[in-house]
Amino acid sequence: MSTLPLLKVNDVSKFYGSRIGCRNVSFELYAGEVLAIVGESGSGKTTLLSCLSTRLMPTSGIVEYHMRDGQYRDLARMGEAERRFLMRTDWGFVHQNPADGLRMTVSAGANVGERLMAVGDRHYGNIRATASDWLQRVEIGVDRIDDQPRAFSGGMRQRLQIARNLVTSPRLVFMDEPTGGLDVSVQARLLDLVRGLVHDLGLAAIIVTHDLAVARLLSHRMMVMKDGAVIEQGLTDRVLDDPREPYTQLLVSSILQV
Amino acid sequence: MNDLATYNFAYLDEQTKRMIRRAILKAIAIPGYQVPFASREMPMPYGWGTGGVQVTASILGPEDVLKVIDQGADDTTNAVSIRAFFQKVANVAVTTRTKEATIIQTRHRIPEEKLSEGQTLVYQVPIPEPLRFLEPRETETRKMHALEEYGLMHVKLYEDIARNGHIATTYAYPVKVEGRYVMDPSPTPKFDNPKMHMSEALQLFGAGREKRIYAVPPYTDVVSLDFDDHPFEIQSFDKPCALCGAEDVYLDEVILDDKGGRMFVCSDTDHCEDRRACGHAGHMLARKEAAE
């Protein structure tokens, strides 16, 4: 495995007029590494994720990605065609609300197959075989392949969205509150699934969440954000067991114990 | 002052024609690309061919011979009224014979007879955007055309096969023009798609409500999209035309009575009449004559 970071983020800031979205964020992400970004609502987690995934242009700072050809490319300087191609092949984006990431009016099979067709797969049988394989991997019955996602439960939709993103074997997946709005038992199953997939596929992932339990389960490393800035970062277990910043201590002690 | 009450030749004023011709030229230069144009109000409702009429009006000259068809027929409402319109405002010669026409305005068919160089086929298009039903945002579909992101088109075909076991799209079947732009061939039956490929005639498409013009120049590649294991196929019919006995043509079903009687006849009326004049007869025609 390459020892070079997959993603290099250098001093990224995003301002909405005079308001701060996020400021002076720098970090590096290596292949196979899962990074959690935690913080309360409005702390800039999602803004940062959007800047990293080119859904928003940062006001200043550089985000560089290690392309498959071994070159580092500044995402902001990439052409739109190339960026969109990267987004649907080498990257994945899992939305909090599955309806944002899925095509609700086409079948589950077509949802999974869309990326394959987008990169030029023109064999129906193969596309369908790959789609059923992926549905199985995310624990959706193959008999549901021709059902539309609107007939699926929230947890199934989220799993379908994950399958749809992983079908092109991306190297980097962005997840925005992947377990938001799911009940705890479904959350647990989803987390289990994501953890398994990340491990099996050697994915790098950046997960935005306000749920520290999600971060604990999935991530190797975490960053704590407050008011747009990263106030603490380190290994997940270290940050959660031995928080240094007062705000992080507050956050950790706010977890309800059952 | 008699001058004030008359129309300009072919109804549209010269500046409008100039604007539309420029759009047409651009469309021909970029085969399959939808060129926006400032569509005018026409004296007919949207959906009746306002786009096609504007294109025809802009390319029509006094020497032209016009043919107008509606679903292949020369004698249906839309065809009759558009033909009468151009007779009135341009005083051009009209015909029903495909061979004699220099401009053929069509609603959803391509004549059976092979078109030749110098002829122009003008299509009336209701919805020019082939990606529309999958992607409602115009900004997004334009971007997809620009970046050649056509995976979504195959998602539609995939859905067809998943639901019906075969590609069930029978009209407005998407095509790729000259290896670049995916185009909606207007709601012609897919039976006509192969006729667009390497056609000797110029093909122009006008969408009045949507304000788009696009074109397929003569001798241009037009390939229907498909899957490797589900190749493109045109419709086939069990029986020949009941009147002229033609095979390998597109047939319309005509209900004859309320007891389930029906017949299949050529959709292209001119082609059917031609064949009958040459002595071809289908089984219903023979019976009719025997009864007389």
Side-chain angles (χ1 to χ4, degrees):
Chain A
M1 198 182 281
S2 157
T3 53
L4 294 167
L6 193 62
L7 194 71
K8 288 200 282 196
V9 181
N10 194 5
D11 218 15
V12 165
S13 301
K14 173 75 187 173
F15 296 98
Y16 298 106
S18 58
R19 242 174 266 279
I20 296 165
C22 63
R23 64 176 178 211
N24 306 344
V25 179
S26 302
F27 68 91
E28 287 177 349
L29 183 78
Y30 288 83
E33 188 179 32
V34 180
L35 173 73
I37 304 174
V38 300
E40 61 191 8
S41 299
S43 59
K45 308 184 296 277
T46 302
T47 298
L48 177 61
L49 192 74
S50 302
C51 287
L52 301 179
S53 59
T54 72
R55 298 160 67 83
L56 276 178
M57 274 294 140
T59 314
S60 65
I62 296 173
V63 183
E64 282 179 306
Y65 183 67
H66 194 211
M67 306 291 282
R68 282 184 192 257
D69 63 7
Q71 299 290 311
Y72 277 100
R73 296 287 304 275
D74 181 351
L75 295 177
R77 285 167 183 272
M78 227 182 233
E80 188 170 16
E82 211 178 353
R83 208 157 56 213
R84 284 169 69 114
F85 183 75
L86 187 70
M87 286 199 76
R88 60 170 192 260
T89 53
D90 220 16
W91 288 6
F93 197 105
V94 178
H95 295 260
Q96 174 174 8
N97 179 4
D100 295 341
L102 292 172
R103 283 188 197 280
M104 298 304 278
T105 52
V106 303
S107 67
N111 262 296
V112 178
E114 181 176 341
R115 276 177 165 229
L116 296 174
M117 293 182 248
V119 296
D121 204 328
R122 292 290 177 264
H123 192 283
Y124 175 81
N126 294 351
I127 293 169
R128 200 168 166 84
T130 313
S132 13
D133 179 43
W134 268 101
L135 288 182
Q136 272 170 335
R137 289 173 82 162
V138 298
E139 298 166 18
I140 295 175
V142 175
D143 57 329
R144 305 297 301 270
I145 190 168
D146 291 331
D147 290 352
Q148 292 185 0
R150 64 172 91 218
F152 286 7
S153 69
M156 280 172 82
R157 288 181 189 184
Q158 200 55 286
R159 293 201 298 271
L160 179 62
Q161 195 192 176
I162 289 170
R164 171 182 159 90
N165 273 289
L166 296 187
V167 68
T168 47
S169 338
R171 293 190 298 161
L172 176 58
V173 178
F174 300 96
M175 297 190 189
D176 190 3
E177 305 273 11
T179 58
L182 301 177
D183 61 60
V184 278
S185 59
V186 176
Q187 268 193 29
R189 234 173 110 197
L190 187 78
L191 288 174
D192 219 29
L193 175 78
V194 172
R195 193 160 61 163
L197 287 172
V198 164
H199 183 262
D200 293 349
L201 303 170
L203 288 177
I206 298 179
I207 300 173
V208 161
T209 179
H210 59 260
D211 188 341
L212 293 181
V214 171
R216 169 82 93 178
L217 266 173
L218 288 183
S219 67
H220 306 125
R221 220 152 46 95
M222 65 190 280
M223 298 198 314
V224 183
M225 289 187 77
K226 185 174 191 298
D227 300 330
V230 175
I231 55 164
E232 182 164 358
Q233 58 174 312
L235 295 176
T236 303
D237 291 342
R238 203 283 291 155
V239 174
L240 290 177
D241 295 339
D242 178 22
R244 287 178 192 166
E245 292 293 317
Y247 175 74
T248 317
Q249 291 167 2
L250 178 80
L251 210 61
V252 171
S253 61
S254 307
I255 302 175
L256 288 176
Q257 302 295 328
V258 184
Chain B
M1 295 307 278
N2 212 6
D3 291 354
L4 288 173
T6 55
Y7 288 112
N8 188 32
F9 177 78
Y11 188 75
L12 294 173
D13 61 273
E14 293 303 318
Q15 283 302 312
T16 299
K17 286 190 202 168
R18 181 161 175 249
M19 173 270 295
I20 295 175
R21 285 172 193 150
R22 290 174 73 124
I24 292 173
L25 286 175
K26 181 169 178 179
I28 294 170
I30 319 171
Y33 172 72
Q34 299 166 46
V35 184
F37 79 110
S39 176
R40 297 290 192 251
E41 294 270 339
M42 295 302 281
M44 56 172 67
Y46 286 128
W48 284 66
T50 51
V53 164
Q54 288 179 75
V55 170
T56 303
S58 306
I59 60 172
L60 199 64
E63 308 302 318
D64 274 313
V65 182
L66 181 69
K67 172 183 161 82
V68 185
I69 51 174
D70 173 4
Q71 306 283 3
D74 291 279
D75 53 2
T76 45
T77 316
N78 199 225
V80 169
S81 55
I82 292 175
R83 194 161 55 228
F85 174 76
F86 280 115
Q87 269 179 303
K88 189 170 176 184
V89 300
N91 196 26
V92 290
V94 294
T95 182
T96 60
R97 307 181 69 86
T98 305
K99 213 175 304 180
E100 291 167 9
T102 55
I103 298 174
I104 304 170
Q105 182 170 336
T106 170
R107 175 169 173 265
H108 318 337
R109 272 313 308 282
I110 298 174
E112 302 292 354
E113 196 171 321
K114 192 166 174 288
L115 299 176
S116 53
E117 266 183 46
Q119 288 185 305
T120 304
L121 194 56
V122 179
Y123 296 76
Q124 303 169 197
V125 183
I127 297 166
E129 179 51 72
L131 301 161
R132 178 61 69 236
F133 291 106
L134 297 146
E135 178 52 70
R137 290 167 294 179
E138 174 71 16
T139 47
E140 187 66 14
T141 52
R142 280 201 207 186
K143 199 168 276 176
M144 289 160 84
H145 281 295
L147 301 177
E148 231 178 316
E149 284 179 9
Y150 290 131
L152 206 50
M153 216 63 253
H154 276 87
V155 171
K156 181 177 186 287
L157 301 179
Y158 173 97
E159 279 294 282
D160 261 7
I161 304 174
R163 281 188 203 163
N164 305 298
H166 60 99
I167 299 178
T169 303
T170 51
Y171 65 96
Y173 192 102
V175 293
K176 194 165 217 183
V177 181
E178 203 65 12
R180 177 60 179 85
Y181 284 97
V182 165
M183 183 186 93
D184 182 351
S186 87
T188 51
K190 67 177 172 185
F191 182 88
D192 286 340
N193 275 16
K195 293 183 201 160
M196 308 181 89
H197 177 62
M198 286 291 157
S199 165
E200 290 177 22
L202 169 65
Q203 304 173 76
L204 302 175
F205 300 77
R209 178 178 43 205
E210 304 288 325
K211 301 179 171 50
R212 295 287 184 280
I213 286 174
Y214 51 105
V216 176
Y219 305 107
T220 301
D221 269 327
V222 178
V223 180
S224 304
L225 302 181
D226 60 4
F227 284 104
D228 296 342
D229 48 346
H230 285 267
F232 173 77
E233 276 171 3
I234 60 171
Q235 293 104 327
S236 60
F237 298 89
D238 302 335
K239 290 179 187 172
C241 170
L243 293 179
C244 74
E247 289 173 30
D248 307 324
V249 295
Y250 193 74
L251 301 181
D252 280 343
E253 183 180 2
V254 180
I255 306 286
L256 297 175
D257 50 35
D258 58 359
K259 301 182 189 68
R262 62 193 58 201
M263 67 194 284
F264 287 90
V265 293
C266 287
S267 140
D268 185 340
T269 51
D270 171 57
H271 184 70
C272 197
E273 277 164 23
D274 238 25
R275 279 179 54 86
R276 272 179 279 157
C278 294
H280 296 281
H283 69 283
M284 298 285 262
L285 187 71
R287 202 187 307 161
K288 198 169 125 202
E289 275 167 359
E292 275 167 4

